């Protein structure tokens, strides 16, 4: 065996090195040095992010095609790295609090290992690697959800997440066994070669596979765990859940559908996805209107955002892939800004209800401002980044040109208007509501402010500076033909 | 008697459906976990049977089964740990009692 092919997965190895640094620091350093654990984790990960940006994304394969490195894979990994870095910075305050200080090292270790699993999901081109990545990404997350040991909700959320996650992976593996029975191979390319016609078993297998990954992406009707888990989990973990794990799953979903089952787009899964996208966007929106708890509210908002992300899969082209990755990038900044504000307020006062935000602009104008930008960006109001990401994803879809896709985009547009209503409810509570402010003026911790500033800059710059979209497009189109990213 | 692939696939499908039924109807978390194990193990049987009867020249399905067994064990271990935590805080592992978050 040629061991030099491990170098193809240099990003994964560097990430493992970061994990080992944090792990060994946490175990072997004397007690007085442990105060810096959070900053060791943030610093090591920042170095890794820079390394990942500087290394070019070359087209290489390793382990007989089980693992692939390409420009598109490198781009989505870089996007996820930026998100994880912001999550880590924002989490330091919570991780250093008295209740968590005993096990904050474990928090960073679990988080880095889930990211490693997502990397495998993104780059794996064999279903065994893909499945191991999927499990490595979802099992430690259950432990992270249960992290607030003294809070009852955290345990309830963990149980709900764990049981549904195992259930969904059982369904997913059943679908894989059907695919294996049909083709005799688990390589993505091999499956595409061997499948010749849309047999009933293939339709069954696709339904199972889509259901399995749909659980991870929380598409309706597989979304029932989302609201409870988002509400019960610690806010930093919820932020991680809603952007990073969703972004990785969306990319992996697209790769699986395009590479293994691309030939059956029109016959089998085009209509499955239509139904899923329409349901996801609409149900997510309608339920978000009724929510009073901010974390629950953002859970439903993230369900409907997942529907928009899936529109990029429907586009099925390099433009669609770019739009999907750009959407994930913008969504990372907008959602992390919202969670940053929620986390800062929760750390200080423990309040997470929407009515608690009444009159926030009078006591904490900067927090209210960041929250308002996040809401505008999520709703897609120009000139913020959210408008452009929605614009690109709709354009990518429309370039396909069938009547069905026009109707799909029309429904998505109508839903954008509905979503405007509930996003503005938060802005109304903060700026217009005449009631007495519930939250006194306070100064949030330094790392929280840094995280929020990065997010606000991202929300403003990503829409205006074309560099970001262009570089993602270059990375996506170097993949050559779309089916072999 | 000729033992063909159906003798494996039908019991495996039966196991999968039993697991599915148990997952939906059972109220005790350990019972739900057992149902999930049934579903995961039926997948292993499927892979082994497909490999043995249809693609006898390679071992991909067998290896997948081996990895799937390991993953199932990891999932169960974590699930039990979380269920024990729930038991510590609420003295009960009935899923009907773990619904305090709905507002």
């Amino acid at each position: 065996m040629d061991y030099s092919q491990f170098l193809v997965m240099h990003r994964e190895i560097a990430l493992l090195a970061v994990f080992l640094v944090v792990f060994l620091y946490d175990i072997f350093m004397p007690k007085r040095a442990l105060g810096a654990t959070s900053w060791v984790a943030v610093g090591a990960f920042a170095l890794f992010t820079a390394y990942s940006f500087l290394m070019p994304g070359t087209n290489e394969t390793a382990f007989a095609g089980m693992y692939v490195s390409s420009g598109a894979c490198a781009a989505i990994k870089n996007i996820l790295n930026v998100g994880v870095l912001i999550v880590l910075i924002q989490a330091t305050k919570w991780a250093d609090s008295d209740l968590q200080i005993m096990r904050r090292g474990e928090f960073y270790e679990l988080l880095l290992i889930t990211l490693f699993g997502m990397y495998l999901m993104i780059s794996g081109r064999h279903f065994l690697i893909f499945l191991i990545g999927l499990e490595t990404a979802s099992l430690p997350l259950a432990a992270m959800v249960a992290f607030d040991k003294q809070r009852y909700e955290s345990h309830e959320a963990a149980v709900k997440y764990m049981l549904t996650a195992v259930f969904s992976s059982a369904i997913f593996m059943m679908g894989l066994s059907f695919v294996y029975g049909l083709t005799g191979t688990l390589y993505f390319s091999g499956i595409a070669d061997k499948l010749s016609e849309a047999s009933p078993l293939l339709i069954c297998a696709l339904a199972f596979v889509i259901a399995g990954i749909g659980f991870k992406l929380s598409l309706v009707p597989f979304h029932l765990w989302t609201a409870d888990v988002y509400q019960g989990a610690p806010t930093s973990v919820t932020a991680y859940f809603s952007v990073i794990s969703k972004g990785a799953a969306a990319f992996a979903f697209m790769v699986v559908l395009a590479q293994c089952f691309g030939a059956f787009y029109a016959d089998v899964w085009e209509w499955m996805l239509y139904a899923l996208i329409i349901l996801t966007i609409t149900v997510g929106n309608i339920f978000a209107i009724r929510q009073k708890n901010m974390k629950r509210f953002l859970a439903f908002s993230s369900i409907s955002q997942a529907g928009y992300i899936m529109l990029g899969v429907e586009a099925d082209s390099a433009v669609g892939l770019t739009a999907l990755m750009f959407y994930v990038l913008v969504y990372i900044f907008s959602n992390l800004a919202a969670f940053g504000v929620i986390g800062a307020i929760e750390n200080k006062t423990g309040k997470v209800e929407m009515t608690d935000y009444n009159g926030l602009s009078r006591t904490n104008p900067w927090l209210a401002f960041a929250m308002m930008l996040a809401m505008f960006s999520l709703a897609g109001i120009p000139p913020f980044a959210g408008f452009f990401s929605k614009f690109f994803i709709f354009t990518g879809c429309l370039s396909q040109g069938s009547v069905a896709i026009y109707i799909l985009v029309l429904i998505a547009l109508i839903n954008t208007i509905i979503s405007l209503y509930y996003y503005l409810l938060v802005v109304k509570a903060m700026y217009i509501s005449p009631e007495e402010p519930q939250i006194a003026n306070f100064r949030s911790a330094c790392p929280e402010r840094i995280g929020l500033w990065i997010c606000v800059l991202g929300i403003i710059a990503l829409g205006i500076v074309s560099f970001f979209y262009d570089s993602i497009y270059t990375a996506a189109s170097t993949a050559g033909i779309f089916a072999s990213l | 008697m000729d033992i063909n692939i159906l003798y494996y696939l039908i019991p495996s499908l039966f196991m999968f459906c039993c697991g599915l039924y148990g997952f939906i109807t059972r109220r005790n978390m350990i019972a739900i976990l057992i149902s999930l194990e049934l579903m995961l193990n039926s997948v292993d049987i499927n892979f082994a049977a497909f490999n043995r009867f249809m693609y006898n020249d390679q071992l991909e399905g067998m290896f997948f089964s081996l990895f799937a067994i390991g993953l199932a064990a990891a999932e169960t271990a974590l699930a039990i740990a979380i269920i024990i935590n729930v038991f510590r805080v609420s003295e009960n592992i009935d899923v009907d009692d773990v619904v305090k978050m709905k507002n």
Side-chain angles (χ1 to χ4, degrees), chain A residues 215 219-224 276 279-280:
Chain A
F215 263 107
L219 301 177
V220 177
F222 319 115
H223 68 292
L224 291 167
L276 280 183
L279 271 177
T280 306

Side-chain angles (χ1 to χ4, degrees), chain A residues 25 29-36:
Chain A
Y25 188 93
M29 287 309 265
K31 210 158 187 197
R32 59 195 148 73
L34 284 182

